[in-house]
């Protein structure tokens, strides 16, 4: 199996060797034009922007998350014509910008919106850490909309995310409750290293940069605890 990749729009990432030795706070999943914004502030904006777009239309959020995977989104099945309109992204961007900050130039894509919705959808449903149900299984049934090589990678990533959350639910939950771009986020990502390593299939490699780990566990947490599925 080759390098595991997650192409998720605003949260796009490319896998590398699993190493935390050089990790630093990486800031936000929000990809903006170059501006002088501190990583901690960009992380705060990411969290608030995600909450805003989720709160603007929770039903559409559930539909988009249900009819998508890490590599593709089926907007027709989700009954979404334009994510920018459905989630009021322009208003949310204006709302999160402070008066002394420059205007943000953010690319809004279906997969980017998906990546930003996973955490608020999970955290809104679980204000406190959940527990695994009795008889929970590691691998969960999922719906994929990718095709071809992307489908193969989407399935690999899903197995990986399910495994990490199943084997270290406490650590996964703790990570998504940290603020992006902070030392606490990096520390929480590092704490997941044993489970991440154990869940990699032979030949797989994955970058343990905090934002990469965060995106994987957010997908795993939402799938296990929020999406309507049999007992997990």
């Amino acid at each position: 199996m080759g390098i595991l990749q997650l192409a998720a729009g605003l949260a796009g990432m490319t896998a590398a060797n699993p190493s935390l030795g050089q990790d630093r706070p990486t800031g936000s999943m929000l990809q903006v034009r170059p501006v002088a914004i501190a990583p901690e502030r960009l992380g705060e904006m990411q969290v608030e922007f995600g909450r805003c777009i989720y709160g603007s239309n929770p039903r559409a959020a559930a539909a988009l998350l249900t009819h998508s995977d890490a590599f593709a989104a089926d907007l027709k099945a989700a009954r979404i014509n334009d994510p920018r309109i459905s989630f009021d992204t322009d208003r949310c961007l204006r709302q999160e910008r402070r008066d002394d900050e420059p205007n943000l130039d953010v690319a809004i894509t279906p997969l980017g919106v998906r990546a930003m919705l996973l955490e608020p959808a999970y955290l809104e449903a679980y204000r406190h850490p959940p527990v695994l149900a009795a008889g929970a299984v590691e691998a969960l049934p999922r719906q994929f909309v990718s095709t071809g090589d992307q489908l193969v990678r989407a399935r690999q990533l899903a197995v990986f995310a399910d495994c990490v959350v199943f084997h270290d639910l406490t650590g996964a939950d703790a990570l998504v409750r940290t603020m992006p771009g902070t030392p606490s986020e990096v520390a929480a990502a590092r704490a997941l290293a044993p489970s991440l390593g154990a869940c990699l299939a032979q030949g797989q490699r994955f970058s343990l940069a905090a934002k990469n780990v965060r995106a994987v566990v957010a997908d795993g947490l939402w799938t296990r605890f929020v999406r309507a599925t049999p007992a997990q």
Side-chain angles (χ1 to χ4, degrees):
M1 209 173 282
I3 293 176
L4 196 62
Q5 294 180 321
L6 170 60
L10 296 181
M13 60 190 79
T14 302
N17 291 324
S19 170
L20 287 167
Q22 301 299 319
D23 270 8
R24 296 290 184 272
T26 54
S28 170
M29 285 191 284
L30 280 173
Q31 299 299 304
V32 302
R33 62 183 173 83
V35 291
I37 300 178
E40 292 82 358
R41 171 59 183 146
L42 206 55
E44 179 182 312
M45 294 171 68
Q46 170 188 316
V47 169
E48 295 304 321
F49 179 73
R51 288 174 179 168
C52 183
I53 62 173
Y54 175 78
S56 69
N57 200 336
R59 181 172 295 184
L64 177 59
L65 292 173
T66 299
H67 296 285
S68 64
D69 56 46
F71 291 87
D74 187 345
L75 295 184
K76 183 176 180 180
R79 299 184 179 181
I80 294 174
N81 293 322
D82 185 346
R84 188 179 287 270
I85 294 174
S86 295
F87 298 104
D88 208 357
T89 60
D90 290 345
R91 176 185 64 81
C92 289
L93 284 173
R94 291 193 303 270
Q95 179 175 303
E96 301 315 318
R97 186 182 70 85
R98 296 172 180 168
D99 291 340
D100 61 344
E101 292 174 338
N103 290 324
L104 298 179
D105 181 14
V106 178
I108 303 297
T109 67
L111 289 180
V113 171
R114 177 189 188 272
M116 299 295 292
L117 289 171
L118 286 166
E119 283 189 28
Y122 167 73
L123 293 173
E124 180 65 24
Y126 289 90
R127 302 298 177 90
H128 303 285
V131 295
L132 289 173
V137 297
E138 179 180 313
L140 301 176
R142 286 176 177 251
Q143 174 176 304
F144 297 96
V145 298
S146 293
T147 59
D149 291 343
Q150 288 187 337
L151 176 58
V152 174
R153 292 195 292 271
R155 285 175 170 160
Q156 292 172 359
L157 182 63
V159 169
F160 184 54
D162 289 345
C163 177
V164 173
V165 170
F166 182 80
H167 288 283
D168 194 349
L169 172 57
T170 299
D173 178 86
L175 175 57
V176 299
R177 295 183 193 275
T178 64
M179 188 64 69
T182 62
S184 61
E185 180 192 40
V186 172
R190 286 176 172 169
L192 281 166
S195 293
L196 290 162
C199 288
L200 285 173
Q202 186 175 5
Q204 283 183 334
R205 293 179 293 166
F206 181 74
S207 169
L208 295 186
K211 66 177 180 179
N212 296 17
V213 179
R214 190 179 190 115
V216 167
V217 300
D219 181 273
L221 289 166
W222 179 84
T223 300
R224 184 169 294 274
F225 294 104
V226 182
R227 191 193 64 182
T229 59
Q232 298 165 6

